[in-house]
Amino acid sequence: MEDSRRAPMAVIVWACTTLCLVSYAAAFSHGASLSACADMMPKHLRAQLHSPNNNYVTVHTNMSFYFPGDKVPVTVRSTRDFMGFLLQARKVSNDEIAGTFVFIPPGSKLLTCFEDGDTVTHSDKSLKRNLSFVWKAPDQPIGDIKFFISVVQSYFVYWAKIESAIVAQRGQY
């Protein structure tokens, strides 16, 4: 009699666990969560971080300097498909997120980590390779910045905080 109760209980436990894991995984197919804002790390179960030096993604801009209030084009290029990403501009002086994104490509959405539109993430898990964005510098001086991107190739493989070259601020400090 006890064995006849164990089987249905095992099925119920398995079903609940599966539903929880599926809903947890599905949440990330629509973009990074706000919990990734500070460290830019995916919050996937058992995700494996790969060395930023061994990545196939570059983030860059054709501008080596900017003035407060400027709009800066940012390009992400990849030699392989990836599904997810998180992109931010950060101050070189203290690693704080800075500025806002004013243009984002299809398949992405704005996040508010500290101010509206300061971060961009994917909005679906379609495969991506080359993405273009426009970042707007704050109107007040903030100093030199770098762009950082974390890229998720698959649910279990990612690269965190791949960085661009420094984009120096011109004008008054």
Side-chain angles (χ1 to χ4, degrees):
M1 181 156 170
E2 190 152 320
D3 284 340
S4 64
R5 283 189 280 189
R6 282 189 193 161
M9 183 57 89
V11 169
I12 291 170
V13 169
W14 175 84
C16 288
T17 303
T18 301
L19 285 173
C20 288
L21 289 174
V22 167
S23 64
Y24 187 77
F28 295 111
S29 69
H30 298 294
S33 69
L34 292 175
S35 63
C37 285
D39 63 7
M40 298 187 74
M41 301 290 273
K43 306 304 182 215
H44 303 173
L45 297 173
R46 297 185 313 270
Q48 181 180 359
L49 174 64
H50 288 261
S51 167
N53 299 328
N54 296 330
N55 68 73
Y56 52 88
V57 176
T58 58
V59 56
H60 58 89
T61 180
N62 60 359
M63 298 173 68
S64 56
F65 65 89
Y66 74 96
F67 290 94
D70 274 357
K71 291 180 179 171
V72 177
V74 179
T75 305
V76 174
R77 300 252 186 259
S78 175
T79 57
R80 295 186 202 163
D81 293 334
F82 60 91
M83 291 192 305
F85 69 91
L86 186 70
L87 176 67
Q88 299 174 334
R90 290 177 174 245
K91 299 179 195 176
V92 171
S93 62
N94 61 10
D95 203 39
E96 286 181 0
I97 301 170
T100 57
F101 288 88
V102 295
F103 174 81
I104 60 173
S108 60
K109 66 181 181 179
L110 295 172
L111 279 182
T112 300
C113 286
F114 296 103
E115 70 176 270
D116 287 346
D118 62 5
T119 301
V120 185
T121 188
H122 58 286
S123 61
D124 61 44
K125 59 181 180 179
S126 65
L127 299 178
K128 299 153 186 63
R129 275 202 184 206
N130 300 309
L131 303 171
S132 296
F133 307 85
V134 176
W135 175 81
K136 184 180 183 297
D139 293 330
Q140 70 281 1
I142 59 166
D144 300 346
I145 57 115
K146 281 186 180 182
F147 293 96
F148 289 88
I149 191 165
S150 292
V151 173
V152 176
Q153 179 183 355
S154 68
Y155 190 74
F156 300 105
V157 178
Y158 71 95
W159 288 262
K161 291 187 87 171
I162 300 164
E163 59 188 77
S164 72
I166 291 175
V167 183
Q169 180 184 302
R170 298 282 193 243
Q172 290 186 318
Y173 279 89

